[in-house]
Amino acid sequence: FEAGTNAWRSYDSWPPRQNVTGRRLYLQPGGALGFDPPRGSAGKPFEAYVSDPAKPVPYRARPILPTFGRGSTWSIWLADDQRFVQDRPDVVAWETPPLTEDVTLAGAIEAHLFAATSGTDADWVVKLIDVMPENDAKLPGYQFMVANEVLRGRFNKSFEKPSAIKANVTREYAIDLHTQNYRFRKGHRIRVQVSSGSHPRYARNLG
């Protein structure tokens, strides 16, 4: 099923191997996102934020209702509008200009995050988001989460043998966003959001 167009597709295998081209999206200075690697040294070479376990980034807009309580909407939280965290100082994001043509994802998605922390552990939460146009008739400006995952830093090399992170040293984190079949429509924007919390879905990381 191809979300975004709400259509069924047939492939010889999954992930598909035919008529598929591997592409990379690059985080750019100034919150930009694009398919071309950054050029030159213009702009700040990194983004920084303070992650405070006492004020964790929630995975849903508050108040978060009990999962099985009356009025709970937990069953549809994956479709929540992600704008509820966009103005937090501990959340950073990068976004493409409005797409000039449809962009279709079909297969595996992986984020390669180069990051450092002042502590000895940190969570890395990566979301791939479809931003609807402001003039959309039904969902103006809506930020729909296409894919997401959380990686606890100490498990970056092995889930069986966790190891502490060396403070203030940049290292690469490969974060598996799994497979997806989704089409970003012309006029929409692709957004990548990074934070260090998804509370209480994941326990707070005290670093």
Side-chain angles (χ1 to χ4, degrees), residues 169-190:
V169 175
T170 300
R171 61 187 291 183
E172 181 180 2
Y173 298 89
I175 302 171
D176 184 4
L177 297 181
H178 316 293
T179 63
Q180 184 57 268
N181 201 30
Y182 188 89
R183 181 171 295 188
F184 294 88
R185 305 307 298 265
K186 179 181 178 180
H188 291 214
R189 298 172 185 259
I190 301 175

Short mmCIF file of all heavy atoms in Angstrom, two decimals, residues 169-190:
data_model
loop_
_atom_site.label_atom_id
_atom_site.label_comp_id
_atom_site.label_asym_id
_atom_site.label_seq_id
_atom_site.Cartn_x
_atom_site.Cartn_y
_atom_site.Cartn_z
N VAL A 169 32.62 13.98 21.87
CA VAL A 169 33.26 13.43 20.67
C VAL A 169 32.18 13.09 19.66
O VAL A 169 31.24 12.34 19.97
CB VAL A 169 34.10 12.18 21.00
CG1 VAL A 169 34.65 11.56 19.72
CG2 VAL A 169 35.24 12.53 21.95
N THR A 170 32.30 13.63 18.47
CA THR A 170 31.32 13.35 17.43
C THR A 170 31.48 11.94 16.90
O THR A 170 32.59 11.50 16.60
CB THR A 170 31.47 14.34 16.26
OG1 THR A 170 31.29 15.67 16.76
CG2 THR A 170 30.44 14.07 15.18
N ARG A 171 30.38 11.22 16.82
CA ARG A 171 30.40 9.87 16.27
C ARG A 171 29.17 9.66 15.40
O ARG A 171 28.20 10.43 15.48
CB ARG A 171 30.47 8.82 17.40
CG ARG A 171 29.29 8.86 18.34
CD ARG A 171 29.46 7.94 19.52
NE ARG A 171 29.42 6.54 19.13
CZ ARG A 171 29.49 5.53 20.01
NH1 ARG A 171 29.65 5.77 21.30
NH2 ARG A 171 29.41 4.29 19.60
N GLU A 172 29.22 8.65 14.59
CA GLU A 172 28.11 8.37 13.69
C GLU A 172 27.14 7.38 14.33
O GLU A 172 27.54 6.38 14.91
CB GLU A 172 28.63 7.79 12.38
CG GLU A 172 27.53 7.48 11.37
CD GLU A 172 28.05 6.92 10.06
OE1 GLU A 172 29.29 6.73 9.95
OE2 GLU A 172 27.24 6.66 9.15
N TYR A 173 25.84 7.68 14.20
CA TYR A 173 24.78 6.80 14.67
C TYR A 173 23.92 6.42 13.46
O TYR A 173 23.36 7.29 12.80
CB TYR A 173 23.91 7.50 15.72
CG TYR A 173 24.66 7.89 16.97
CD1 TYR A 173 25.30 9.13 17.05
CD2 TYR A 173 24.76 7.02 18.04
CE1 TYR A 173 26.00 9.50 18.19
CE2 TYR A 173 25.46 7.38 19.19
CZ TYR A 173 26.07 8.62 19.25
OH TYR A 173 26.77 8.98 20.38
N ALA A 174 23.84 5.13 13.19
CA ALA A 174 23.00 4.63 12.10
C ALA A 174 21.66 4.22 12.69
O ALA A 174 21.58 3.30 13.50
CB ALA A 174 23.67 3.47 11.40
N ILE A 175 20.60 4.92 12.30
CA ILE A 175 19.29 4.72 12.90
C ILE A 175 18.34 4.16 11.84
O ILE A 175 18.05 4.81 10.83
CB ILE A 175 18.75 6.03 13.47
CG1 ILE A 175 19.76 6.58 14.51
CG2 ILE A 175 17.37 5.84 14.10
CD1 ILE A 175 19.45 7.98 14.98
N ASP A 176 17.90 2.94 12.06
CA ASP A 176 17.04 2.24 11.10
C ASP A 176 15.61 2.75 11.21
O ASP A 176 14.95 2.58 12.23
CB ASP A 176 17.10 0.73 11.41
CG ASP A 176 16.31 -0.10 10.41
OD1 ASP A 176 15.78 0.46 9.43
OD2 ASP A 176 16.23 -1.33 10.62
N LEU A 177 15.13 3.39 10.15
CA LEU A 177 13.75 3.86 10.10
C LEU A 177 12.84 2.88 9.38
O LEU A 177 11.70 3.22 9.02
CB LEU A 177 13.69 5.24 9.42
CG LEU A 177 14.44 6.37 10.13
CD1 LEU A 177 14.29 7.68 9.37
CD2 LEU A 177 13.98 6.54 11.56
N HIS A 178 13.37 1.68 9.13
CA HIS A 178 12.58 0.57 8.59
C HIS A 178 12.18 0.82 7.13
O HIS A 178 12.70 1.72 6.49
CB HIS A 178 11.38 0.30 9.48
CG HIS A 178 11.72 0.30 10.95
ND1 HIS A 178 12.53 -0.66 11.52
CD2 HIS A 178 11.45 1.18 11.93
CE1 HIS A 178 12.71 -0.39 12.81
NE2 HIS A 178 12.05 0.73 13.08
N THR A 179 11.27 0.02 6.63
CA THR A 179 10.85 0.18 5.23
C THR A 179 9.55 0.97 5.18
O THR A 179 8.77 0.98 6.13
CB THR A 179 10.66 -1.18 4.54
OG1 THR A 179 9.62 -1.90 5.20
CG2 THR A 179 11.95 -1.99 4.56
N GLN A 180 9.35 1.59 4.05
CA GLN A 180 8.16 2.42 3.90
C GLN A 180 7.79 2.50 2.42
O GLN A 180 8.66 2.40 1.54
CB GLN A 180 8.42 3.82 4.45
CG GLN A 180 7.25 4.76 4.45
CD GLN A 180 6.04 4.24 5.21
OE1 GLN A 180 5.18 3.59 4.61
NE2 GLN A 180 5.99 4.47 6.50
N ASN A 181 6.52 2.63 2.15
CA ASN A 181 6.03 2.89 0.79
C ASN A 181 5.15 4.13 0.89
O ASN A 181 4.00 4.07 1.35
CB ASN A 181 5.24 1.69 0.27
CG ASN A 181 5.15 1.69 -1.25
OD1 ASN A 181 6.04 2.19 -1.92
ND2 ASN A 181 4.09 1.12 -1.78
N TYR A 182 5.72 5.26 0.48
CA TYR A 182 5.04 6.53 0.71
C TYR A 182 5.39 7.51 -0.39
O TYR A 182 6.53 7.54 -0.87
CB TYR A 182 5.46 7.13 2.06
CG TYR A 182 4.65 8.34 2.46
CD1 TYR A 182 3.48 8.20 3.19
CD2 TYR A 182 5.08 9.62 2.12
CE1 TYR A 182 2.72 9.31 3.54
CE2 TYR A 182 4.33 10.73 2.47
CZ TYR A 182 3.15 10.58 3.18
OH TYR A 182 2.42 11.66 3.52
N ARG A 183 4.43 8.34 -0.78
CA ARG A 183 4.68 9.35 -1.80
C ARG A 183 4.46 10.75 -1.22
O ARG A 183 3.38 11.08 -0.75
CB ARG A 183 3.78 9.15 -3.02
CG ARG A 183 4.04 10.20 -4.12
CD ARG A 183 3.30 9.89 -5.40
NE ARG A 183 3.78 8.65 -6.00
CZ ARG A 183 3.42 8.22 -7.21
NH1 ARG A 183 2.60 8.95 -7.94
NH2 ARG A 183 3.88 7.08 -7.67
N PHE A 184 5.54 11.55 -1.26
CA PHE A 184 5.44 12.97 -0.94
C PHE A 184 4.94 13.68 -2.20
O PHE A 184 5.59 13.62 -3.25
CB PHE A 184 6.80 13.53 -0.53
CG PHE A 184 7.34 12.96 0.76
CD1 PHE A 184 8.12 11.81 0.76
CD2 PHE A 184 7.09 13.58 1.97
CE1 PHE A 184 8.63 11.29 1.93
CE2 PHE A 184 7.60 13.07 3.16
CZ PHE A 184 8.37 11.92 3.14
N ARG A 185 3.85 14.36 -2.10
CA ARG A 185 3.24 14.96 -3.27
C ARG A 185 3.88 16.33 -3.60
O ARG A 185 4.41 17.02 -2.74
CB ARG A 185 1.74 15.14 -3.07
CG ARG A 185 0.99 13.86 -2.71
CD ARG A 185 1.27 12.72 -3.69
NE ARG A 185 0.85 13.02 -5.03
CZ ARG A 185 -0.34 12.65 -5.54
NH1 ARG A 185 -1.19 11.97 -4.78
NH2 ARG A 185 -0.65 12.94 -6.78
N LYS A 186 3.79 16.68 -4.87
CA LYS A 186 4.26 17.98 -5.34
C LYS A 186 3.64 19.10 -4.49
O LYS A 186 2.45 19.07 -4.19
CB LYS A 186 3.89 18.16 -6.81
CG LYS A 186 4.31 19.49 -7.42
CD LYS A 186 3.88 19.57 -8.88
CE LYS A 186 4.23 20.92 -9.49
NZ LYS A 186 3.81 21.01 -10.91
N GLY A 187 4.46 20.06 -4.08
CA GLY A 187 3.99 21.15 -3.26
C GLY A 187 4.15 20.90 -1.77
O GLY A 187 4.11 21.85 -0.97
N HIS A 188 4.34 19.63 -1.38
CA HIS A 188 4.59 19.30 0.02
C HIS A 188 6.08 19.53 0.33
O HIS A 188 6.90 19.73 -0.56
CB HIS A 188 4.24 17.84 0.30
CG HIS A 188 2.77 17.56 0.25
ND1 HIS A 188 2.16 16.64 1.05
CD2 HIS A 188 1.76 18.09 -0.52
CE1 HIS A 188 0.86 16.60 0.80
NE2 HIS A 188 0.60 17.46 -0.16
N ARG A 189 6.43 19.49 1.60
CA ARG A 189 7.82 19.59 2.03
C ARG A 189 8.21 18.32 2.77
O ARG A 189 7.37 17.71 3.45
CB ARG A 189 8.03 20.80 2.95
CG ARG A 189 7.73 22.15 2.31
CD ARG A 189 7.79 23.26 3.36
NE ARG A 189 7.38 24.56 2.82
CZ ARG A 189 8.24 25.51 2.47
NH1 ARG A 189 9.55 25.31 2.64
NH2 ARG A 189 7.82 26.66 1.99
N ILE A 190 9.47 17.93 2.64
CA ILE A 190 10.01 16.82 3.42
C ILE A 190 10.74 17.41 4.61
O ILE A 190 11.56 18.33 4.46
CB ILE A 190 10.95 15.94 2.59
CG1 ILE A 190 10.22 15.38 1.37
CG2 ILE A 190 11.52 14.80 3.44
CD1 ILE A 190 11.12 14.60 0.42
#
